[in-house]
Amino acid sequence: MKYIILILLAALAIPFAARSQAVILKTDTVSISCSSTDTLLMPVRVRNFKGVASVQFTLQWVAPQLKFIYVTPGPGNIFLPGAQIGFDTSSVLLNQGKLAFTWTRVGGASFPDDTPIFFVAFKRVGGPYSPVAFSNTPVVVELTDKNGDELLHT
């Protein structure tokens, strides 16, 4: 009887253990020689992106060094049918070096590790280096599954 109870407990714990892996959002480190007229594409990649139904975050950079140009889909194609997507490209945010992003899809979606879900095009306008990083202002970084439960992320 003890073994049956242990087996049942182990079977119940497996889905929770598999779900406890954090979803990873990342931008690549790109080191390129560029002039003030060059445009570069910065990939936004994901890892452990399994059954994710919503994502929101803010990308931030040093505005005097990089100028936002556009967003384009990556091979992960987060622009799936049925997805609701929002990029806040208002001049107020862009002048602060910020791009807010929201995405939802009923039923969720999964992408292979290191898949670029989209690319952000920037023009280098000055300075030696500008990090592009995830920020909680104005949109807090948050991911949920199809049940609306918040997912761990890094």
Side-chain angles (χ1 to χ4, degrees), residues 30 32 34-40 42 60-69 94-98 121-133:
V30 177
I32 56 173
C34 25
S35 70
S36 62
T37 60
D38 288 340
T39 298
L40 58 106
M42 173 67 65
Q60 186 169 350
W61 60 91
V62 180
Q65 295 174 352
L66 293 176
K67 178 181 179 186
F68 171 83
I69 304 298
L94 294 178
N95 289 339
Q96 296 174 22
K98 295 179 180 182
F122 292 102
K123 180 178 176 182
R124 182 175 173 267
V125 292
Y129 169 76
S130 175
V132 177

Side-chain angles (χ1 to χ4, degrees), residues 55-141:
V55 179
Q56 67 176 35
F57 56 79
T58 302
L59 279 179
Q60 186 169 350
W61 60 91
V62 180
Q65 295 174 352
L66 293 176
K67 178 181 179 186
F68 171 83
I69 304 298
Y70 60 85
V71 174
T72 187
N77 197 7
I78 203 158
F79 301 89
L80 295 164
Q84 301 297 313
I85 302 162
F87 289 98
D88 186 345
T89 57
S90 66
S91 60
V92 172
L93 280 183
L94 294 178
N95 289 339
Q96 296 174 22
K98 295 179 180 182
L99 174 69
F101 171 73
T102 60
W103 175 87
T104 57
R105 184 166 190 250
V106 174
S110 299
F111 297 111
D113 285 352
D114 296 316
T115 297
I117 54 173
F118 62 85
F119 294 89
V120 182
F122 292 102
K123 180 178 176 182
R124 182 175 173 267
V125 292
Y129 169 76
S130 175
V132 177
F134 296 94
S135 167
N136 284 315
T137 306
V139 176
V140 176
V141 178

Side-chain angles (χ1 to χ4, degrees), residues 32-55:
I32 56 173
S33 172
C34 25
S35 70
S36 62
T37 60
D38 288 340
T39 298
L40 58 106
L41 289 177
M42 173 67 65
V44 176
R45 299 180 187 274
V46 293
R47 284 190 188 151
N48 303 323
F49 199 97
K50 295 172 180 54
V52 176
S54 74
V55 179

Side-chain angles (χ1 to χ4, degrees), residues 13-23 144-145 147-152:
I14 289 172
F16 294 108
R19 189 174 154 184
S20 66
Q21 265 193 323
V23 176
T144 63
D145 64 16
N147 298 320
D149 296 324
E150 193 167 342
L151 297 170
L152 295 173

